[in-house]
Amino acid sequence: MVTMKDIAAKACVSISTVSLVINHRDKGRVKPDIAATIWKVAEELGYHPNAMARSLRSGRTHTIAFISDQVATTPYAGEIIHGAEDAARQLGYMMFIIDADDERDISGDIDRMLSWGVDGYIYAKFANRYISVPPTLDDMQVVVVNAEERTVIHPRIEPDEFSIGYDATTRLIHAGCRRIAYIGCDEPAIAQVGRFKGYRQALKDAGIPFDKRLTSRVSHGRPALEAVCKLLDDTHPDGVFAFNDARAVYVYDYAFQHGLTIGEDLSVIGVDNHEVICDTTVPALTSVELPHYEMGFWGACKIISMIEGTDPIEQERVTPSYNAASMPPLDTDGPARIHCAIVEKESIVGGPRTHDDSEPAQTAGSDANPSSSASADGSRRPQRR
Amino acid sequence: MVTMKDIAAKACVSISTVSLVINHRDKGRVKPDIAATIWKVAEELGYHPNAMARSLRSGRTHTIAFISDQVATTPYAGEIIHGAEDAARQLGYMMFIIDADDERDISGDIDRMLSWGVDGYIYAKFANRYISVPPTLDDMQVVVVNAEERTVIHPRIEPDEFSIGYDATTRLIHAGCRRIAYIGCDEPAIAQVGRFKGYRQALKDAGIPFDKRLTSRVSHGRPALEAVCKLLDDTHPDGVFAFNDARAVYVYDYAFQHGLTIGEDLSVIGVDNHEVICDTTVPALTSVELPHYEMGFWGACKIISMIEGTDPIEQERVTPSYNAASMPPLDTDGPARIHCAIVEKESIVGGPRTHDDSEPAQTAGSDANPSSSASADGSRRPQRR
DNA sequence: GTGAAAGCGCTAACAA
DNA sequence: TTGTTAGCGCTTTCAC
């Protein structure tokens, strides 16, 4: 390992001089030609400053820990991690990853983090859920992403579930739908409650009466398919808002079986903009995209702002890879809620709306910031394969 | 921050004594009651050893870096990360995560890793692809996961693509299929080549002539659906082996349109055991599962074995969360290839095979280790929601 | 402008 | 059985 000592020896100066130069503190203190020599020697020797030694002195490690359950099991995990890593990297931080399976005791991992002197923690879930942050972290800097604490302690960000339901339903109404079904999730999730409220509010605002028979809560597999078919057979809706894309698929199955064409005879909108489903549905499913990348990005910016006491977004020290507009400010009172854009495909009658004629619904009772719509031609995500 | 100094002061001993005790090197060197006092004081004060200081001395950080493209964009990312994290954690290592977007220059990140003195590197892709490890890492410890280098330098693990094709096709043959279609991928990927070879070999071994008209290479969306429908219309196969689950979906669409029932009139098998597709297909799609978790796990074990010069698996210092049987040994000559199990669902005529009557095909020309089949009732993955 | 020296928290060789 | 001491690589104060 090359050290400052080696450089000092080769450049015939003292270690402190090397330190000054390497840390760019040599302005008017070290002769420029000496500084140049030092840089040259450092380069030649392939010098890399020893982060460990540095941290030992400074007490700051420039690392954060990303703790999450279900790193493994959800397809969206990567986007949150990616967003957080992206922001962390741009701000000079490295990110540890810790899988916190619900069943597993993570106190050992937390001890290890404490040993490392990690500067801050991101605690994330991959579905908007209730969690409790381990009390060991009580006097650490913690940000909660895509989840809610029963007793709120830490700053957090979550999707604006209400406006997902509101916007999706409104989109169908604008396409001319009047009998709009809701295919829900059979579990009482935060997401379910919010989206359903948004659905009802949108109907109300449009003067369309709510009809319970148009709603159903399903899980997966054959029972779900049968429930959806029954709903469609019984009530013949002209639009369907599905809790998520997976549940929207059953509407496609029904349509294939009955010779209907989605996007012509029947409009459908889902949630998740799930890559594989959007890839494989014909016509492609229009869907509301949950901004996982953005939530991760926000989380990392937030935790780093707490560590450093400055706002990296305001200071423009950091740029998200996409969709910067939808990033809520870091210093919101209460939870940050992030707006979710509709990704237009082909499953709604009348075809994709262009950006121009869409005015995202202003969500009553929601503190969403001004929304940004994704482009009409689909996801803003990088394409796979 | 609580230090050994603090403990020493409170326990009225010297720092070295504390060090000896904390590091369990006090056997017959420190009086047991003194040791006990030290532990008590450490506990009271909430002492955590300072990993930084430790590493500074030892030159070892007990950290590894997981470098990968597409952390973001694939649903399987999480499983590889999860597997690697699982092994690393059990072996006392922490894992940094680095997103290496293809376009992005990661030399800065690597510099940071070098500064950190990360002990080893896992270089992973999420589809079995060709890669080149940055030359900066040439004299570091590196393991390649789910990818292949053009000029092989580092140990690596990848799925046994040949036997995926062979096993899937053989499974259909055992179910009585004789006209087996192959719906391939339109790109020349490593996976594509191997799976197709396996398909042909299985046909050959069963004495079934290869018929080019039964094969098609498709991408996604409407053109793919149309190509698949044409293939099925023209050739009326009794079984379909699809390159992946996403491509198998088009067969379902065709079946719905034509009043056919998958698993009765037509058998289908995919690859990926993609959660959302397996959740939503009716009847559920039988699929070959790529052991992402296991590859990540193997990768971490391998890199740590290289760092430490011992084999943690042989020493039983580590236990995978599932499917331990399929883990190849760490010290294979050449690349480790990992066998992929069929996850039985309902899309093959005759219903799921039980474990008993399935003898996984011994793959000619492949050095796969003895395979382990997943249980007949589906994935071994933890369930989402 | 430059260098000597102390010290971050810990380990390990050596002394007592 | 316990304590003293040097030093890991770096930063920072202070003297020259």
Side-chain angles (χ1 to χ4, degrees), chain B residues 160-167 170 194 197-205 337 339 360-368:
Chain B
D160 187 347
E161 303 288 357
F162 175 88
S163 65
I164 290 175
Y166 192 93
D167 290 354
T170 304
K197 267 194 198 155
Y199 162 77
R200 294 199 56 166
Q201 187 66 42
L203 292 180
K204 196 172 170 191
D205 289 357
R337 270 194 256 277
H339 188 268
Q362 206 46 46
T363 58
S366 139
D367 52 1

PDB file of all heavy atoms in Angstrom, chain B residues 160-167 170 194 197-205 337 339 360-368:
ATOM      1  N   ASP B 160     -26.342 -23.067 -15.516  1.00  0.00           N
ATOM      2  CA  ASP B 160     -26.089 -24.095 -16.517  1.00  0.00           C
ATOM      3  C   ASP B 160     -27.181 -24.009 -17.590  1.00  0.00           C
ATOM      4  O   ASP B 160     -28.195 -24.691 -17.525  1.00  0.00           O
ATOM      5  CB  ASP B 160     -26.106 -25.465 -15.833  1.00  0.00           C
ATOM      6  CG  ASP B 160     -25.683 -26.558 -16.794  1.00  0.00           C
ATOM      7  OD1 ASP B 160     -25.625 -26.294 -18.008  1.00  0.00           O
ATOM      8  OD2 ASP B 160     -25.415 -27.674 -16.322  1.00  0.00           O
ATOM      9  N   GLU B 161     -26.948 -23.133 -18.548  1.00  0.00           N
ATOM     10  CA  GLU B 161     -27.981 -22.826 -19.544  1.00  0.00           C
ATOM     11  C   GLU B 161     -28.358 -24.052 -20.367  1.00  0.00           C
ATOM     12  O   GLU B 161     -29.522 -24.272 -20.691  1.00  0.00           O
ATOM     13  CB  GLU B 161     -27.494 -21.712 -20.488  1.00  0.00           C
ATOM     14  CG  GLU B 161     -27.084 -20.417 -19.803  1.00  0.00           C
ATOM     15  CD  GLU B 161     -28.260 -19.619 -19.262  1.00  0.00           C
ATOM     16  OE1 GLU B 161     -29.413 -20.051 -19.464  1.00  0.00           O
ATOM     17  OE2 GLU B 161     -28.023 -18.591 -18.625  1.00  0.00           O
ATOM     18  N   PHE B 162     -27.356 -24.836 -20.688  1.00  0.00           N
ATOM     19  CA  PHE B 162     -27.631 -26.029 -21.501  1.00  0.00           C
ATOM     20  C   PHE B 162     -28.664 -26.917 -20.821  1.00  0.00           C
ATOM     21  O   PHE B 162     -29.647 -27.331 -21.423  1.00  0.00           O
ATOM     22  CB  PHE B 162     -26.335 -26.809 -21.731  1.00  0.00           C
ATOM     23  CG  PHE B 162     -26.533 -28.108 -22.459  1.00  0.00           C
ATOM     24  CD1 PHE B 162     -26.523 -28.152 -23.856  1.00  0.00           C
ATOM     25  CD2 PHE B 162     -26.766 -29.289 -21.760  1.00  0.00           C
ATOM     26  CE1 PHE B 162     -26.712 -29.347 -24.532  1.00  0.00           C
ATOM     27  CE2 PHE B 162     -26.959 -30.485 -22.425  1.00  0.00           C
ATOM     28  CZ  PHE B 162     -26.930 -30.522 -23.815  1.00  0.00           C
ATOM     29  N   SER B 163     -28.459 -27.165 -19.547  1.00  0.00           N
ATOM     30  CA  SER B 163     -29.372 -28.109 -18.901  1.00  0.00           C
ATOM     31  C   SER B 163     -30.741 -27.483 -18.623  1.00  0.00           C
ATOM     32  O   SER B 163     -31.718 -28.191 -18.441  1.00  0.00           O
ATOM     33  CB  SER B 163     -28.760 -28.706 -17.640  1.00  0.00           C
ATOM     34  OG  SER B 163     -28.574 -27.726 -16.673  1.00  0.00           O
ATOM     35  N   ILE B 164     -30.809 -26.154 -18.622  1.00  0.00           N
ATOM     36  CA  ILE B 164     -32.142 -25.537 -18.559  1.00  0.00           C
ATOM     37  C   ILE B 164     -32.950 -25.992 -19.762  1.00  0.00           C
ATOM     38  O   ILE B 164     -34.075 -26.487 -19.637  1.00  0.00           O
ATOM     39  CB  ILE B 164     -32.041 -23.990 -18.557  1.00  0.00           C
ATOM     40  CG1 ILE B 164     -31.471 -23.487 -17.239  1.00  0.00           C
ATOM     41  CG2 ILE B 164     -33.412 -23.359 -18.820  1.00  0.00           C
ATOM     42  CD1 ILE B 164     -31.224 -21.988 -17.214  1.00  0.00           C
ATOM     43  N   GLY B 165     -32.361 -25.848 -20.943  1.00  0.00           N
ATOM     44  CA  GLY B 165     -33.056 -26.255 -22.159  1.00  0.00           C
ATOM     45  C   GLY B 165     -33.303 -27.751 -22.189  1.00  0.00           C
ATOM     46  O   GLY B 165     -34.382 -28.213 -22.577  1.00  0.00           O
ATOM     47  N   TYR B 166     -32.292 -28.475 -21.741  1.00  0.00           N
ATOM     48  CA  TYR B 166     -32.402 -29.934 -21.788  1.00  0.00           C
ATOM     49  C   TYR B 166     -33.489 -30.430 -20.836  1.00  0.00           C
ATOM     50  O   TYR B 166     -34.356 -31.224 -21.208  1.00  0.00           O
ATOM     51  CB  TYR B 166     -31.056 -30.555 -21.418  1.00  0.00           C
ATOM     52  CG  TYR B 166     -30.986 -32.038 -21.704  1.00  0.00           C
ATOM     53  CD1 TYR B 166     -30.491 -32.497 -22.927  1.00  0.00           C
ATOM     54  CD2 TYR B 166     -31.434 -32.968 -20.778  1.00  0.00           C
ATOM     55  CE1 TYR B 166     -30.435 -33.845 -23.205  1.00  0.00           C
ATOM     56  CE2 TYR B 166     -31.385 -34.326 -21.042  1.00  0.00           C
ATOM     57  CZ  TYR B 166     -30.885 -34.770 -22.266  1.00  0.00           C
ATOM     58  OH  TYR B 166     -30.838 -36.104 -22.537  1.00  0.00           O
ATOM     59  N   ASP B 167     -33.443 -29.944 -19.614  1.00  0.00           N
ATOM     60  CA  ASP B 167     -34.402 -30.398 -18.597  1.00  0.00           C
ATOM     61  C   ASP B 167     -35.832 -29.997 -18.942  1.00  0.00           C
ATOM     62  O   ASP B 167     -36.766 -30.782 -18.792  1.00  0.00           O
ATOM     63  CB  ASP B 167     -34.039 -29.831 -17.223  1.00  0.00           C
ATOM     64  CG  ASP B 167     -32.773 -30.438 -16.649  1.00  0.00           C
ATOM     65  OD1 ASP B 167     -32.237 -31.380 -17.276  1.00  0.00           O
ATOM     66  OD2 ASP B 167     -32.321 -29.982 -15.589  1.00  0.00           O
ATOM     67  N   THR B 170     -37.029 -32.088 -21.837  1.00  0.00           N
ATOM     68  CA  THR B 170     -37.231 -33.462 -21.387  1.00  0.00           C
ATOM     69  C   THR B 170     -38.491 -33.578 -20.540  1.00  0.00           C
ATOM     70  O   THR B 170     -39.246 -34.553 -20.639  1.00  0.00           O
ATOM     71  CB  THR B 170     -36.006 -33.924 -20.563  1.00  0.00           C
ATOM     72  OG1 THR B 170     -34.837 -33.770 -21.375  1.00  0.00           O
ATOM     73  CG2 THR B 170     -36.146 -35.371 -20.147  1.00  0.00           C
ATOM     74  N   GLY B 194     -27.205 -21.459 -25.140  1.00  0.00           N
ATOM     75  CA  GLY B 194     -27.169 -22.654 -24.301  1.00  0.00           C
ATOM     76  C   GLY B 194     -28.513 -23.352 -24.212  1.00  0.00           C
ATOM     77  O   GLY B 194     -28.612 -24.574 -24.343  1.00  0.00           O
ATOM     78  N   LYS B 197     -29.379 -25.143 -27.458  1.00  0.00           N
ATOM     79  CA  LYS B 197     -28.609 -26.373 -27.589  1.00  0.00           C
ATOM     80  C   LYS B 197     -29.212 -27.487 -26.743  1.00  0.00           C
ATOM     81  O   LYS B 197     -29.319 -28.637 -27.183  1.00  0.00           O
ATOM     82  CB  LYS B 197     -27.161 -26.142 -27.116  1.00  0.00           C
ATOM     83  CG  LYS B 197     -26.205 -25.747 -28.206  1.00  0.00           C
ATOM     84  CD  LYS B 197     -24.765 -25.880 -27.692  1.00  0.00           C
ATOM     85  CE  LYS B 197     -23.800 -25.109 -28.561  1.00  0.00           C
ATOM     86  NZ  LYS B 197     -22.581 -24.719 -27.841  1.00  0.00           N
ATOM     87  N   GLY B 198     -29.588 -27.133 -25.534  1.00  0.00           N
ATOM     88  CA  GLY B 198     -30.183 -28.121 -24.630  1.00  0.00           C
ATOM     89  C   GLY B 198     -31.476 -28.673 -25.192  1.00  0.00           C
ATOM     90  O   GLY B 198     -31.755 -29.880 -25.120  1.00  0.00           O
ATOM     91  N   TYR B 199     -32.262 -27.781 -25.755  1.00  0.00           N
ATOM     92  CA  TYR B 199     -33.532 -28.168 -26.386  1.00  0.00           C
ATOM     93  C   TYR B 199     -33.288 -29.184 -27.491  1.00  0.00           C
ATOM     94  O   TYR B 199     -33.902 -30.256 -27.545  1.00  0.00           O
ATOM     95  CB  TYR B 199     -34.193 -26.894 -26.910  1.00  0.00           C
ATOM     96  CG  TYR B 199     -35.289 -27.059 -27.946  1.00  0.00           C
ATOM     97  CD1 TYR B 199     -36.569 -27.474 -27.588  1.00  0.00           C
ATOM     98  CD2 TYR B 199     -35.048 -26.745 -29.293  1.00  0.00           C
ATOM     99  CE1 TYR B 199     -37.587 -27.588 -28.542  1.00  0.00           C
ATOM    100  CE2 TYR B 199     -36.036 -26.844 -30.247  1.00  0.00           C
ATOM    101  CZ  TYR B 199     -37.310 -27.273 -29.874  1.00  0.00           C
ATOM    102  OH  TYR B 199     -38.305 -27.379 -30.818  1.00  0.00           O
ATOM    103  N   ARG B 200     -32.317 -28.880 -28.350  1.00  0.00           N
ATOM    104  CA  ARG B 200     -32.053 -29.776 -29.478  1.00  0.00           C
ATOM    105  C   ARG B 200     -31.513 -31.123 -29.004  1.00  0.00           C
ATOM    106  O   ARG B 200     -31.882 -32.183 -29.523  1.00  0.00           O
ATOM    107  CB  ARG B 200     -31.078 -29.119 -30.460  1.00  0.00           C
ATOM    108  CG  ARG B 200     -31.699 -27.884 -31.120  1.00  0.00           C
ATOM    109  CD  ARG B 200     -30.984 -27.510 -32.384  1.00  0.00           C
ATOM    110  NE  ARG B 200     -30.915 -28.592 -33.349  1.00  0.00           N
ATOM    111  CZ  ARG B 200     -30.576 -28.454 -34.616  1.00  0.00           C
ATOM    112  NH1 ARG B 200     -30.276 -27.251 -35.070  1.00  0.00           N
ATOM    113  NH2 ARG B 200     -30.526 -29.480 -35.423  1.00  0.00           N
ATOM    114  N   GLN B 201     -30.644 -31.065 -28.004  1.00  0.00           N
ATOM    115  CA  GLN B 201     -30.056 -32.308 -27.511  1.00  0.00           C
ATOM    116  C   GLN B 201     -31.131 -33.206 -26.893  1.00  0.00           C
ATOM    117  O   GLN B 201     -31.116 -34.432 -27.084  1.00  0.00           O
ATOM    118  CB  GLN B 201     -28.978 -31.990 -26.467  1.00  0.00           C
ATOM    119  CG  GLN B 201     -28.180 -33.206 -26.014  1.00  0.00           C
ATOM    120  CD  GLN B 201     -27.335 -33.804 -27.138  1.00  0.00           C
ATOM    121  OE1 GLN B 201     -26.728 -33.064 -27.905  1.00  0.00           O
ATOM    122  NE2 GLN B 201     -27.333 -35.120 -27.247  1.00  0.00           N
ATOM    123  N   ALA B 202     -32.051 -32.593 -26.173  1.00  0.00           N
ATOM    124  CA  ALA B 202     -33.111 -33.376 -25.520  1.00  0.00           C
ATOM    125  C   ALA B 202     -33.978 -34.063 -26.571  1.00  0.00           C
ATOM    126  O   ALA B 202     -34.356 -35.235 -26.429  1.00  0.00           O
ATOM    127  CB  ALA B 202     -33.952 -32.478 -24.624  1.00  0.00           C
ATOM    128  N   LEU B 203     -34.301 -33.297 -27.621  1.00  0.00           N
ATOM    129  CA  LEU B 203     -35.082 -33.881 -28.711  1.00  0.00           C
ATOM    130  C   LEU B 203     -34.329 -35.073 -29.301  1.00  0.00           C
ATOM    131  O   LEU B 203     -34.885 -36.166 -29.474  1.00  0.00           O
ATOM    132  CB  LEU B 203     -35.327 -32.841 -29.814  1.00  0.00           C
ATOM    133  CG  LEU B 203     -36.252 -31.665 -29.476  1.00  0.00           C
ATOM    134  CD1 LEU B 203     -36.378 -30.738 -30.685  1.00  0.00           C
ATOM    135  CD2 LEU B 203     -37.635 -32.158 -29.052  1.00  0.00           C
ATOM    136  N   LYS B 204     -33.065 -34.842 -29.573  1.00  0.00           N
ATOM    137  CA  LYS B 204     -32.239 -35.879 -30.189  1.00  0.00           C
ATOM    138  C   LYS B 204     -32.198 -37.131 -29.315  1.00  0.00           C
ATOM    139  O   LYS B 204     -32.434 -38.250 -29.789  1.00  0.00           O
ATOM    140  CB  LYS B 204     -30.821 -35.328 -30.365  1.00  0.00           C
ATOM    141  CG  LYS B 204     -29.959 -36.115 -31.321  1.00  0.00           C
ATOM    142  CD  LYS B 204     -28.649 -35.375 -31.577  1.00  0.00           C
ATOM    143  CE  LYS B 204     -27.677 -36.253 -32.336  1.00  0.00           C
ATOM    144  NZ  LYS B 204     -26.324 -35.640 -32.344  1.00  0.00           N
ATOM    145  N   ASP B 205     -31.939 -36.905 -28.024  1.00  0.00           N
ATOM    146  CA  ASP B 205     -31.841 -38.038 -27.106  1.00  0.00           C
ATOM    147  C   ASP B 205     -33.157 -38.813 -27.028  1.00  0.00           C
ATOM    148  O   ASP B 205     -33.170 -39.999 -26.711  1.00  0.00           O
ATOM    149  CB  ASP B 205     -31.444 -37.576 -25.701  1.00  0.00           C
ATOM    150  CG  ASP B 205     -29.987 -37.116 -25.655  1.00  0.00           C
ATOM    151  OD1 ASP B 205     -29.305 -37.218 -26.695  1.00  0.00           O
ATOM    152  OD2 ASP B 205     -29.542 -36.655 -24.592  1.00  0.00           O
ATOM    153  N   ARG B 337     -20.746 -23.959 -12.732  1.00  0.00           N
ATOM    154  CA  ARG B 337     -22.062 -23.867 -13.352  1.00  0.00           C
ATOM    155  C   ARG B 337     -23.074 -24.406 -12.370  1.00  0.00           C
ATOM    156  O   ARG B 337     -22.854 -25.423 -11.728  1.00  0.00           O
ATOM    157  CB  ARG B 337     -22.110 -24.666 -14.650  1.00  0.00           C
ATOM    158  CG  ARG B 337     -21.714 -23.823 -15.845  1.00  0.00           C
ATOM    159  CD  ARG B 337     -22.083 -24.512 -17.137  1.00  0.00           C
ATOM    160  NE  ARG B 337     -20.899 -25.067 -17.766  1.00  0.00           N
ATOM    161  CZ  ARG B 337     -20.067 -24.370 -18.530  1.00  0.00           C
ATOM    162  NH1 ARG B 337     -20.290 -23.091 -18.742  1.00  0.00           N
ATOM    163  NH2 ARG B 337     -19.020 -24.936 -19.061  1.00  0.00           N
ATOM    164  N   HIS B 339     -26.888 -25.689 -11.424  1.00  0.00           N
ATOM    165  CA  HIS B 339     -28.050 -26.324 -12.028  1.00  0.00           C
ATOM    166  C   HIS B 339     -29.318 -25.577 -11.640  1.00  0.00           C
ATOM    167  O   HIS B 339     -29.420 -25.019 -10.562  1.00  0.00           O
ATOM    168  CB  HIS B 339     -28.145 -27.779 -11.563  1.00  0.00           C
ATOM    169  CG  HIS B 339     -29.195 -28.544 -12.299  1.00  0.00           C
ATOM    170  ND1 HIS B 339     -30.484 -28.649 -11.839  1.00  0.00           N
ATOM    171  CD2 HIS B 339     -29.144 -29.206 -13.465  1.00  0.00           C
ATOM    172  CE1 HIS B 339     -31.179 -29.379 -12.706  1.00  0.00           C
ATOM    173  NE2 HIS B 339     -30.389 -29.725 -13.697  1.00  0.00           N
ATOM    174  N   PRO B 360     -33.815 -35.803 -12.669  1.00  0.00           N
ATOM    175  CA  PRO B 360     -33.296 -34.704 -13.486  1.00  0.00           C
ATOM    176  C   PRO B 360     -32.341 -35.224 -14.551  1.00  0.00           C
ATOM    177  O   PRO B 360     -31.481 -36.044 -14.266  1.00  0.00           O
ATOM    178  CB  PRO B 360     -32.546 -33.844 -12.473  1.00  0.00           C
ATOM    179  CG  PRO B 360     -33.050 -34.253 -11.133  1.00  0.00           C
ATOM    180  CD  PRO B 360     -33.559 -35.644 -11.259  1.00  0.00           C
ATOM    181  N   ALA B 361     -32.517 -34.757 -15.734  1.00  0.00           N
ATOM    182  CA  ALA B 361     -31.698 -35.232 -16.843  1.00  0.00           C
ATOM    183  C   ALA B 361     -30.222 -35.020 -16.561  1.00  0.00           C
ATOM    184  O   ALA B 361     -29.806 -33.956 -16.120  1.00  0.00           O
ATOM    185  CB  ALA B 361     -32.078 -34.476 -18.101  1.00  0.00           C
ATOM    186  N   GLN B 362     -29.449 -36.044 -16.781  1.00  0.00           N
ATOM    187  CA  GLN B 362     -28.005 -35.848 -16.667  1.00  0.00           C
ATOM    188  C   GLN B 362     -27.546 -35.197 -17.949  1.00  0.00           C
ATOM    189  O   GLN B 362     -27.673 -35.748 -19.040  1.00  0.00           O
ATOM    190  CB  GLN B 362     -27.309 -37.185 -16.428  1.00  0.00           C
ATOM    191  CG  GLN B 362     -26.000 -37.020 -15.707  1.00  0.00           C
ATOM    192  CD  GLN B 362     -26.120 -36.067 -14.505  1.00  0.00           C
ATOM    193  OE1 GLN B 362     -27.047 -36.183 -13.719  1.00  0.00           O
ATOM    194  NE2 GLN B 362     -25.217 -35.111 -14.402  1.00  0.00           N
ATOM    195  N   THR B 363     -27.034 -34.015 -17.827  1.00  0.00           N
ATOM    196  CA  THR B 363     -26.811 -33.209 -19.013  1.00  0.00           C
ATOM    197  C   THR B 363     -25.530 -33.601 -19.720  1.00  0.00           C
ATOM    198  O   THR B 363     -24.442 -33.389 -19.204  1.00  0.00           O
ATOM    199  CB  THR B 363     -26.738 -31.736 -18.629  1.00  0.00           C
ATOM    200  OG1 THR B 363     -25.675 -31.608 -17.683  1.00  0.00           O
ATOM    201  CG2 THR B 363     -28.014 -31.286 -17.997  1.00  0.00           C
ATOM    202  N   ALA B 364     -25.706 -34.149 -20.891  1.00  0.00           N
ATOM    203  CA  ALA B 364     -24.546 -34.557 -21.678  1.00  0.00           C
ATOM    204  C   ALA B 364     -23.646 -33.358 -21.935  1.00  0.00           C
ATOM    205  O   ALA B 364     -24.115 -32.297 -22.329  1.00  0.00           O
ATOM    206  CB  ALA B 364     -25.002 -35.147 -23.005  1.00  0.00           C
ATOM    207  N   GLY B 365     -22.386 -33.531 -21.716  1.00  0.00           N
ATOM    208  CA  GLY B 365     -21.439 -32.474 -22.049  1.00  0.00           C
ATOM    209  C   GLY B 365     -21.478 -31.294 -21.104  1.00  0.00           C
ATOM    210  O   GLY B 365     -20.910 -30.261 -21.359  1.00  0.00           O
ATOM    211  N   SER B 366     -22.125 -31.446 -19.993  1.00  0.00           N
ATOM    212  CA  SER B 366     -22.183 -30.347 -19.048  1.00  0.00           C
ATOM    213  C   SER B 366     -21.644 -30.825 -17.713  1.00  0.00           C
ATOM    214  O   SER B 366     -21.845 -31.964 -17.323  1.00  0.00           O
ATOM    215  CB  SER B 366     -23.628 -29.900 -18.885  1.00  0.00           C
ATOM    216  OG  SER B 366     -23.930 -29.628 -17.552  1.00  0.00           O
ATOM    217  N   ASP B 367     -20.956 -29.955 -17.030  1.00  0.00           N
ATOM    218  CA  ASP B 367     -20.370 -30.382 -15.770  1.00  0.00           C
ATOM    219  C   ASP B 367     -21.210 -29.955 -14.579  1.00  0.00           C
ATOM    220  O   ASP B 367     -20.711 -29.567 -13.545  1.00  0.00           O
ATOM    221  CB  ASP B 367     -18.948 -29.865 -15.641  1.00  0.00           C
ATOM    222  CG  ASP B 367     -18.894 -28.368 -15.873  1.00  0.00           C
ATOM    223  OD1 ASP B 367     -19.980 -27.784 -16.111  1.00  0.00           O
ATOM    224  OD2 ASP B 367     -17.816 -27.798 -15.815  1.00  0.00           O
ATOM    225  N   ALA B 368     -22.512 -29.973 -14.773  1.00  0.00           N
ATOM    226  CA  ALA B 368     -23.403 -29.604 -13.680  1.00  0.00           C
ATOM    227  C   ALA B 368     -23.262 -30.607 -12.539  1.00  0.00           C
ATOM    228  O   ALA B 368     -23.067 -31.785 -12.755  1.00  0.00           O
ATOM    229  CB  ALA B 368     -24.843 -29.598 -14.149  1.00  0.00           C
TER     230      ALA B 368
END
